């Protein structure tokens, strides 16, 4: 079994097991979650295929099973299932168990709009660096949309994302070379800022933010739409 596959399984195992816990009953969200994973995953996989083809990032065969689809390893496709599942599960847990929790409105406002503005300006300024530009602009737009259209859930999203950052730094750290020889995923330094937290490019933090935020938003959107029916 490849290292990348082990990391995928490590991300989803506990959320999957606790999906049937009596208080959480997360399995009831599957009818909203899995369509969300397909919709959001489709967009991110297309992005992934293009960037891999252009050589903006790539994969170390040493840590893969060797099964590829559209020039992407099988493990990369599983990544866009396992990480959104675990992330939306975390969001569901916090929303269920800490229903009364919320950041103060002005904190959400200044955080969302301030960070979105900063990412927008940075993405425009570094327009010649494809990973930086595309990731920052997407994250900026995602924050604006979440604030204006999903504000009720945004406070729980912020709390869940802060929680998710703990396993994120472990799993993504290993993927980018922490604790192992070489890395599972390599990056073309000409297409990013070259700023890393440990071994993780700073762009990865906002890439994951967009992936998780859209996974939550689309799941919530499906939940609101189809629960009424």
């Amino acid at each position: 079994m490849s290292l990348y596959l082990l990391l995928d399984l490590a991300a989803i195992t506990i959320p999957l097991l606790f999906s049937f816990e009596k208080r959480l009953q997360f399995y009831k969200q599957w009818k909203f979650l899995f369509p969300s994973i397909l919709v959001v995953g489709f967009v991110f996989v297309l992005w992934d295929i293009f960037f891999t083809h252009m050589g903006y990032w790539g994969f170390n065969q040493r840590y893969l099973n060797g099964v590829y689809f559209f020039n992407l390893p099988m493990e990369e496709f599983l990544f866009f299932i396992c990480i959104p599942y675990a992330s939306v599960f975390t969001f569901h847990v916090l929303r269920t168990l800490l229903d009364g929790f919320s950041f103060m409105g002005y904190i959400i406002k200044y955080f969302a709009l301030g960070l979105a503005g900063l990412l927008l300006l940075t993405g425009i300024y570094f327009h010649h660096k494809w990973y930086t530009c595309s990731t920052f602009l997407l994250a900026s737009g995602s924050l604006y949309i979440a604030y204006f259209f999903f504000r009720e859930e945004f406070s729980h999203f912020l709390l869940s994302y802060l929680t998710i950052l703990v396993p994120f730094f472990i799993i993504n750290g290993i993927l980018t070379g922490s604790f192992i020889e070489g890395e599972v995923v390599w990056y073309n330094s000409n297409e990013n800022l070259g700023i890393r937290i440990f071994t993780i490019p700073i762009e990865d933090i906002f890439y994951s933010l967009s992936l998780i935020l859209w996974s939550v938003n689309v799941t919530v959107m499906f939940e609101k739409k189809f629960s009424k029916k």
Side-chain angles (χ1 to χ4, degrees):
M1 185 179 295
S2 72
L3 175 60
Y4 196 174
L5 181 56
L6 283 172
L7 292 173
D8 285 336
L9 295 177
I12 200 173
T13 298
I14 292 178
L16 192 59
L17 291 175
F18 278 88
S19 294
F20 301 93
E21 199 272 337
K22 186 176 180 180
R23 291 177 300 171
L24 301 175
Q25 300 184 52
F26 184 62
Y27 68 92
K28 293 183 178 180
Q29 297 293 310
W30 286 359
K31 58 188 174 183
F32 313 122
L33 172 63
F34 289 123
S36 169
I37 288 176
L38 288 175
V39 171
V40 177
F42 178 76
V43 176
F44 276 81
V45 165
L46 288 180
W47 182 3
D48 208 344
I49 290 172
F50 175 71
F51 270 36
T52 302
H53 175 73
M54 297 299 295
Y56 299 154
W57 60 47
F59 306 90
N60 187 343
Q61 295 183 6
R62 176 180 179 180
Y63 297 112
L64 305 173
N65 278 332
V67 179
Y68 288 79
F69 303 98
F70 303 103
N71 205 33
L72 291 184
M74 172 192 73
E75 294 89 343
E76 185 76 350
F77 284 91
L78 292 176
F79 175 90
F80 292 110
I81 299 173
C82 297
I83 298 303
Y85 187 100
S87 300
V88 178
F89 172 81
T90 303
F91 171 81
H92 176 79
V93 169
L94 295 175
R95 184 172 61 166
T96 302
L97 302 183
L98 299 177
D99 184 54
F101 174 86
S102 63
F103 288 105
M104 297 182 70
Y106 70 87
I107 294 178
I108 296 176
K109 177 180 179 180
Y110 292 134
F111 173 82
L113 301 184
L115 180 58
L118 178 62
L119 290 170
L120 175 63
L121 294 175
T122 306
I124 293 172
Y125 183 79
F126 290 101
H127 63 275
H128 56 289
K129 293 181 177 292
W130 276 77
Y131 187 30
T132 302
C133 178
S134 59
T135 302
F136 283 16
L137 292 182
L138 176 61
S140 175
S142 300
L143 288 169
Y144 278 125
I145 291 172
Y147 178 76
F148 287 110
F149 296 99
F150 298 91
R151 196 177 307 179
E152 181 181 346
E153 294 79 23
F154 196 49
S155 180
H156 284 294
F157 168 77
L158 292 178
L159 179 61
S160 63
Y161 188 66
L162 290 174
T163 305
I164 290 165
L165 281 176
V166 176
F168 165 82
F169 278 110
I170 297 173
I171 293 176
N172 212 54
I174 296 173
L175 287 174
T176 55
S178 297
F179 317 115
I180 63 173
E181 183 179 345
E183 63 267 314
V184 180
V185 182
W186 56 262
Y187 295 84
N188 182 340
S189 58
N190 292 324
E191 304 301 334
N192 60 64
L193 296 177
I195 301 173
R196 298 203 176 211
I197 300 176
F198 303 109
T199 57
I200 303 170
I202 194 170
E203 288 85 354
D204 276 13
I205 295 174
F206 299 105
Y207 179 95
S208 69
L209 184 146
S210 296
L211 173 63
I212 296 168
L213 184 52
W214 276 109
S215 297
V216 168
N217 288 347
V218 177
T219 301
V220 168
M221 183 179 68
F222 285 153
E223 181 181 3
K224 289 182 177 179
K225 180 176 181 179
F226 295 112
S227 289
K228 295 178 181 179
K229 296 182 180 181

